[in-house]
């Protein structure tokens, strides 16, 4: 079925991106059709049947888009579902299409080449728009240069999207060049640079603000020599752009002469001040999606605001932050921050990836996020249909392409020897699967058992190279014993309830062909009660893979640490380390109680004390807040809530146990006398 959907999906995506400046309807129609395709694929569960391992980063992006919509609905509801607010909410509601878009684009295996092809056609469309304008002006270039060129739409929208499209095309050109398609690379670089120049004809101030940041984002893609040259070239290009922008030059000259900003800046500062006052009066709710317009009109009518605001600023505050703060309060600010900075954080992690396609897609995604942050300084981008839809489709496309490319990028074979070490006790339900998965990356498997009474040792003999039965000195000492028996250059330290997934195995083998770090953290994928947890405390990445020389384990009774020599580099892999923490809720309670008490003993051994029961209570509450809210544990649903409560209980028990250790015990004779 993939081939059945692949070409139509590619065509729809490219057509939508390429036609964004020609007509916002082209982009909107493409987004809708792609979303419908995604819904069909979801209904048939085709993507999951194909073995798709849903990246948790995409779930986080999905949350960012949905949270923005939910806050928008809340803001519309508190004002009584006004008609004016309904129009704004209808625009924001497009973001609910994000996940169907991701499903469609992931199932079609959207790749870097296709994505950059769409960007290149978008940049090329600026030539057609410029040509049409020249024909309309009978070829008069002077007339065109002396006015703000908007390609038939709002000059701000045209300028911002054209500049972004030009730089995405430049990134595509560098990608094709590095992929040995040099002629195509030169063509894209030329088109991208020309589109960026055409974008400057809009004389949009935010373009000049964004330009240096866009240029700096290209630097990681350049060779070392070109990076040095770029540090000189970037200031020159920015100064030249400002000097050739008549609108900016006039404003700077006017400010120097009169010591006052021009009227456009003055109006914006006034409307920002009014928007801030609206927020200050209603910080937790804002004044509603339609309330901003009503407040501006009322201020003008009463003479408190300039009449000029009626013509320019009744729809929005010409700034994303102030506009959202005024209409939606603190929840709105948070939703806006998530919408910008969650994608930026996810994309920027891969800026220096060794994989060519991934690095270029990471730069492209960062361009979009940073671009919208900077464009939003002088324009309410998420209140304009074209801006909002372009952000939706471009982020979905880049994210889908990035994770598709990453999943197929692990192709090299391991050159380093690896020893896998596992400590066990009564793990007959887990040990076989654990050792089978370890063999995907290990040349040698070492099992240290501490007196199992079930079939653990018998099963382990079928898969392990070294098996020993020992006493139980605590987690840290036992893992150190296993480490001392390892002979490989690298060591993979696993627990019996953990599994190396096939994708993680491919990534480990790929990285150990030419390691770029001395140790690697492996992200957990805790699986419990039929659900895989991606967030909360389960979203951590424990250190599991490391260069053996000079490394040792701490001697902690529980929650031991791997002690890496100072100066060594540690990185985090993408693949998931599946972690089956317990069999059922009863086992969970048993295990939690054991770990809490061991934690109490460990802290007492280190001289820690708890003087009142207030401290355990506060630590338990803090753990719940951290796991469920700060670490996004709520995204894991009911199981995520149960897990957060469990972690909070363990924390409380650990410090409460420490408190009991320091309490004097009651002699038995005293009990008898009391009786």
């Amino acid at each position: 079925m993939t081939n059945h959907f692949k070409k139509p999906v590619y065509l729809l995506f490219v057509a939508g991106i390429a036609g964004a400046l020609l007509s916002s309807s082209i982009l909107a129609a493409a987004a809708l059709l792609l979303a419908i395709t995604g819904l069909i694929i979801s209904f048939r569960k085709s993507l999951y049947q194909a073995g798709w391992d849903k990246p948790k980063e995409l779930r986080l992006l999905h949350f960012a888009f949905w949270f923005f919509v939910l806050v928008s609905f809340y803001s519309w509801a508190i004002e009584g579902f006004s008609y004016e607010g309904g129009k704004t909410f209808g625009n924001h509601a497009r973001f609910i299409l994000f996940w169907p878009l991701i499903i469609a684009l992931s199932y079609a295996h959207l790749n870097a080449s296709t994505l950059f092809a769409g960007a290149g056609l978008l940049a090329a469309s600026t030539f057609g728009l410029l040509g049409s304008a020249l024909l309309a002006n009978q070829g008069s270039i002077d007339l065109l240069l002396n006015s703000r060129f908007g390609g038939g739409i709002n000059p701000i929208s045209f300028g911002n999207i054209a500049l972004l499209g030009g730089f995405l095309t430049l990134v595509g050109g560098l990608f094709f060049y590095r992929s040995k398609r040099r002629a195509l690379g030169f063509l894209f670089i030329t088109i991208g640079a020309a589109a960026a120049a055409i974008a400057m004809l809009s004389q949009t101030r935010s373009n000049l603000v964004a330009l240096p940041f866009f240029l700096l984002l290209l630097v990681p893609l350049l060779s070392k020599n070109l990076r040095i040259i770029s540090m000189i070239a970037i200031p020159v290009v920015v100064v030249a752009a400002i000097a050739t922008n008549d609108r900016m030059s006039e404003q700077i000259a006017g400010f120097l002469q009169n010591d006052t900003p021009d009227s456009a800046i003055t109006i914006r500062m006034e409307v920002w001040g009014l928007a801030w006052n609206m927020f200050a009066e209603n910080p937790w709710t804002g004044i509603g999606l339609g309330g901003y317009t009503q407040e501006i009109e009322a201020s003008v009518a009463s003479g408190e605001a300039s009449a000029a605001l009626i013509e320019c600023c009744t729809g929005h505050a010409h700034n994303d932050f102030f506009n959202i703060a005024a209409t939606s309060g603190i929840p709105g600010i948070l939703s806006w921050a998530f919408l910008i900075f969650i994608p930026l954080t996810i994309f920027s992690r891969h800026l220096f990836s060794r994989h060519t396609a991934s690095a270029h897609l990471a730069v492209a995604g960062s361009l979009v996020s940073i671009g919208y942050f900077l464009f939003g300084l002088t324009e309410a981008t998420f209140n304009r249909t074209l801006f909002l839809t372009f952000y939706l489709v471009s982020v979905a496309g880049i994210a889908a392409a990035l994770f598709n490319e990453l999943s197929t990028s692990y192709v090299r074979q391991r050159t380093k020897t690896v020893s896998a070490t596992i400590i066990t006790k009564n793990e007959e339900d887990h040990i076989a699967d654990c050792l089978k998965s370890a063999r995907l990356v290990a040349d040698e498997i070492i099992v240290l058992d501490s007196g199992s009474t079930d079939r653990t040792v018998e099963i382990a003999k079928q898969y392990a190279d070294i098996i020993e039965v020992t006493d139980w000195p605590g987690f840290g000492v036992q893992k150190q014993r296993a480490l001392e028996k390892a002979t490989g250059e690298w060591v993979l330290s696993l627990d019996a309830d953990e599994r190396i997934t096939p994708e993680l195995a491919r990534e480990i083998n790929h990285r150990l062909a030419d390691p770029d770090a001395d140790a690697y953290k492996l992200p957990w994928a805790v699986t419990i009660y039929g659900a895989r947890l991606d967030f909360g405390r389960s979203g951590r990445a424990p250190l599991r893979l490391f260069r053996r020389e000079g490394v040792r384990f701490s001697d902690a009774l529980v929650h031991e640490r791997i002690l890496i020599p100072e100066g060594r580099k540690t990185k985090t892999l993408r693949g998931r380390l599946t972690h089956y923490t317990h069999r059922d809720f009863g086992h969970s309670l048993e295990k939690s109680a054991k770990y809490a008490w061991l934690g109490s003993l460990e802290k007492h051994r280190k001289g820690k004390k708890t003087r009142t029961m207030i401290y355990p209570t506060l630590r338990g509450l803090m753990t719940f807040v951290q796991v469920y809210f700060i670490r996004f544990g709520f995204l894991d649903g009911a199981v995520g809530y149960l897990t957060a409560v469990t972690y909070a209980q363990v924390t409380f028990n650990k410090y409460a146990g420490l408190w009991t250790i320091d309490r004097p015990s009651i002699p038995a004779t005293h009990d008898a006398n009391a009786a």
Side-chain angles (χ1 to χ4, degrees), residues 96-151:
I96 65 175
L97 300 180
F98 178 79
W99 194 249
L101 286 173
I102 282 291
I103 294 294
L105 297 172
S106 297
Y107 189 65
H109 297 294
L110 184 70
N111 54 34
S113 295
T114 304
L115 185 133
F116 289 126
L121 290 174
L122 170 63
S125 72
T126 62
F127 289 90
L129 294 170
L130 181 63
S132 298
L134 285 172
L135 289 174
N137 292 324
Q138 298 180 344
S140 174
I141 297 178
D142 291 338
L143 184 61
L144 190 66
L145 295 177
N146 290 328
S147 61
R148 296 186 64 187
F149 177 58

